[in-house]
């Protein structure tokens, strides 16, 4: 069927989704049922094999592959290793082509992508990437881009904000004494999700107010863990939520893993000098560990913090492509500094995943928070692109920069 016919067929069914606002059962939402029906009717395959899909790139985002019970704690961020393996098997069985983003992005704008093209990306660079994700990538010979945040690289303790959250969850059955940790900002409880969020926020506020350095923060987590009867020594021994060591980053296989920029301290300050310092520190560490053979031309906005000035500053640093966490398939109309990316999670079903892989879900209306925010990026920031990136079909305004 021609692309026009494909689009019409998909749009008719997609519009029906607007009426799907109730659950069909406690476990299956109507959207899931809608996707299953579309798949069984052959619409996934129809879109996946269309010329429309061949002109588009799906960039997949992953964060963690669990080494212990992180999947139970935070399924929005962690897969089990078997679940991640099943994702790659689905792509293989579906005949999808996995390219490194360093190759796929230029080919997207040049119009030379192979059919059903996908790129894999991982954020942050924690130890679980090396221990759990990399073996699966080797098994499938699947290349991936790793956006590495480098401040904790080489430190032998975990990322503070994530590890604190995990310790509070691990100790959730403990009833804290009324005066336990009272000198840190108040009386605490960890029995409910709301209690843990409140305690986490209070302790984070305390850390900022006291301007604790990374070693002092680690000592604070150890103290909280002791109060909650959590074995923090075991967490350290398993290297949970730790960024990979310098040696580990240095030894990642170059044929499978392309290490790229994610800022040094996982933040994007709204200050020109401070942001360029983040990039410079990040670049210095990655270059020292990986060499200069592969240029550092790709960037991932930490915590999806994109805004117009960053695009200008990234251009100054020589970055050619930057990815967001806004779901969608990239096309020539996607600005290369605001490329969409589908954040895959363990909560997404196989059907939903294949809906994105095929391109079908691109036709389902999305919430406003899932498209480029025009209040954060003005059209003047989108007028320029790196000189060696084709801007054919590039957006003239934010409204179609997706």
């Amino acid at each position: 069927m021609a692309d026009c016919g494909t689009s019409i067929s998909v749009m008719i069914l997609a519009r029906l989704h607007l009426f799907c606002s109730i659950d069909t059962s406690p476990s299956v939402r109507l959207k899931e049922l809608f996707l299953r029906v579309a798949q069984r009717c052959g619409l996934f395959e129809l879109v996946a094999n269309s010329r429309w899909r061949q002109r588009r790139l799906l960039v997949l985002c992953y964060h963690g592959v669990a080494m212990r019970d992180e999947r139970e704690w935070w399924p929005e961020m962690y897969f089990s290793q078997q679940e991640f393996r099943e994702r790659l098997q689905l792509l293989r069985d579906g005949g999808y082509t996995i390219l490194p983003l360093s190759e796929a992005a230029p080919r997207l704008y040049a119009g030379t992508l192979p059919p059903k093209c996908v790129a894999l990306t991982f954020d942050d660079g924690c130890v679980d990437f090396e221990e759990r994700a990399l073996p699966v990538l080797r098994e499938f010979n699947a290349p991936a881009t790793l956006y590495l945040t480098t401040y904790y690289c080489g430190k032998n303790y975990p990322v503070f904000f994530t590890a604190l959250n995990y310790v509070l969850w691990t100790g959730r059955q403990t009833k804290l004494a009324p005066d336990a940790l009272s000198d840190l900002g108040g009386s605490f409880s960890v029995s409910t999700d709301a209690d843990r969020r409140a305690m986490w926020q209070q302790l984070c506020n305390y850390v900022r107010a006291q301007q604790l350095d990374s070693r002092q923060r680690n000592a604070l987590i150890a103290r909280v863990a002791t109060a909650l009867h959590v074995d923090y020594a075991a967490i350290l021994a398993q290297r949970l939520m730790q960024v990979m060591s310098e040696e580990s980053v240095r030894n990642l296989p170059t044929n499978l893993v392309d290490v790229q920029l994610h800022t040094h301290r996982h933040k994007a300050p709204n200050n020109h000098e401070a942001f360029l310092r983040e990039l410079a520190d990040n670049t210095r560490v990655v270059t020292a560990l990986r060499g200069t053979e592969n240029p550092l031309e790709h960037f991932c906005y930490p915590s999806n913090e994109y805004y117009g000035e960053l695009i200008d500053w990234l251009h100054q640093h020589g970055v050619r492509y930057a990815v967001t966490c806004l779901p969608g398939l990239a096309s020539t109309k996607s600005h290369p500094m605001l490329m969409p990316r589908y954040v895959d999670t363990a909560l997404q079903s196989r059907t939903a995943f294949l809906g994105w892989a095929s391109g079908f879900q691109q036709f389902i209306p999305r919430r406003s928070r899932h498209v480029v925010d025009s209040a954060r990026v003005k059209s003047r920031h989108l007028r320029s692109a790196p000189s060696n990136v084709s801007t054919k079909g590039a957006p003239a305004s934010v409204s179609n920069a997706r």
Side-chain angles (χ1 to χ4, degrees):
M1 182 182 291
D3 277 357
C4 180
T6 302
S7 297
I8 292 172
S9 300
V10 174
M11 286 300 293
I12 289 173
L13 278 178
R15 292 300 175 186
L16 293 177
H17 172 70
L18 292 173
F19 299 98
C20 301
S21 58
I22 59 174
D23 288 347
T24 58
S25 73
S27 60
V28 181
R29 296 177 301 170
L30 198 51
K31 178 180 178 181
E32 176 71 12
L33 178 61
F34 166 78
L35 291 172
R36 291 181 187 178
V37 170
Q39 183 182 29
R40 298 194 74 173
C41 289
L43 287 175
F44 282 17
E45 184 178 1
L46 186 68
V47 176
N49 292 320
S50 68
R51 291 194 302 274
W52 177 90
R53 175 64 177 87
Q54 186 171 351
R55 295 194 296 264
R56 283 159 176 80
L57 169 67
L58 177 65
V59 183
L60 290 169
C61 169
Y62 295 95
H63 283 91
V65 181
M67 298 201 295
R68 194 163 82 168
D69 54 357
E70 304 99 304
R71 162 67 169 83
E72 179 187 356
W73 161 56
W74 200 354
E76 295 88 353
M77 291 286 283
Y78 287 91
F79 280 83
S80 70
Q81 188 179 55
Q82 182 57 30
E83 286 171 329
F84 180 57
R85 179 179 289 108
E86 289 171 358
R87 288 297 205 242
L88 295 193
Q89 188 65 54
L90 286 173
L91 294 176
R92 173 180 284 180
D93 292 344
Y96 290 89
T97 300
I98 301 176
L99 290 182
L101 188 58
S102 59
E103 177 183 348
R107 291 184 65 175
L108 167 68
Y109 292 100
T112 61
L113 283 177
K116 303 165 73 170
C117 191
V118 174
L120 305 178
T121 66
F122 283 80
D123 289 5
D124 304 332
C126 288
V127 170
D128 62 84
F129 175 81
E130 174 191 11
E131 296 288 337
R132 294 292 186 269
L134 184 56
V136 181
L137 295 176
R138 290 183 190 274
E139 178 183 340
F140 286 84
N141 194 31
T145 297
L146 175 65
Y147 295 109
L148 180 66
T149 182
T150 44
Y151 174 76
Y152 278 93
C153 193
K155 291 181 168 58
N156 295 320
Y157 36 83
V159 177
F160 172 78
F161 297 104
T162 308
L164 176 62
N165 197 331
Y166 178 72
V167 165
L168 296 179
W169 176 83
T170 304
R172 63 194 180 280
Q173 303 298 329
T174 303
K175 184 175 178 59
L176 282 168
D179 59 345
L181 308 174
S182 59
D183 60 306
L184 300 179
S187 178
F188 299 112
S189 172
V190 294
S191 58
T192 68
D193 287 341
D195 289 338
R196 292 191 293 275
R197 284 195 299 269
M199 183 173 179
W200 181 86
Q201 189 61 62
Q202 284 181 268
L203 292 176
C204 290
N205 291 342
Y206 173 84
V207 162
R208 294 188 181 102
Q210 299 296 317
Q211 298 182 337
L212 302 187
D213 62 25
S214 56
R215 291 185 180 278
Q216 292 169 320
R217 294 180 181 194
N218 186 60
L220 175 60
I221 298 178
R223 183 182 169 194
V224 172
T226 298
L228 293 173
H229 307 297
V230 172
D231 188 350
Y232 191 54
I235 292 174
L236 292 177
Q238 289 184 266
R239 301 165 69 200
L240 301 183
M241 286 147 288
Q242 292 187 30
V243 173
M244 285 183 289
S245 69
E246 293 181 350
E247 181 180 4
S248 293
V249 174
R250 188 179 292 112
N251 292 333
L252 290 172
T254 56
N255 64 317
L256 283 182
V257 183
D258 179 23
V259 181
Q260 292 289 333
L261 302 174
H262 196 31
T263 74
H264 187 55
R265 299 165 185 83
H266 201 271
K267 62 181 182 180
N270 190 11
N271 173 277
H272 184 217
E273 182 180 350
F275 181 71
L276 289 184
R277 184 166 59 249
E278 280 292 323
L279 284 179
D281 289 345
N282 198 201
T283 299
R284 171 179 49 78
V285 176
V286 174
T287 301
L289 297 177
R290 302 291 288 178
T292 57
E293 182 177 347
N294 292 325
L296 299 179
E297 300 175 331
H298 292 256
F299 179 79
C300 171
Y301 297 100
S303 304
N304 204 35
E305 284 295 322
Y306 64 89
Y307 45 88
E309 290 76 10
L310 292 188
I311 295 175
D312 297 334
W313 301 340
L314 287 167
H315 283 167
Q316 294 174 21
H317 195 74
V319 172
R320 299 171 60 197
Y321 306 96
V323 294
T324 66
C325 291
L326 302 173
L329 278 76
S331 72
T332 55
K333 291 185 178 180
S334 304
H335 194 281
M337 304 300 285
L338 289 170
M339 294 182 69
R341 195 170 53 142
Y342 173 60
V343 180
D344 194 15
T345 78
L347 299 179
Q348 296 295 319
S349 68
R350 289 162 49 101
T351 306
F353 174 77
L354 288 174
W356 277 111
S358 67
F360 180 83
Q361 290 226 51
Q362 183 82 354
F363 294 93
I364 296 179
R366 284 167 283 166
R367 300 173 183 174
S368 59
R369 64 187 175 88
H370 289 160
V371 298
V372 173
D373 184 354
S374 60
R376 295 163 68 179
V377 181
K378 305 301 182 184
S379 59
R380 65 183 176 84
H381 297 116
L382 303 179
R383 289 176 188 151
S384 63
S387 58
N388 49 357
V389 174
S390 169
T391 57
K392 180 181 179 181
S397 66
V398 174
S399 61
N400 61 352
R402 56 188 171 106

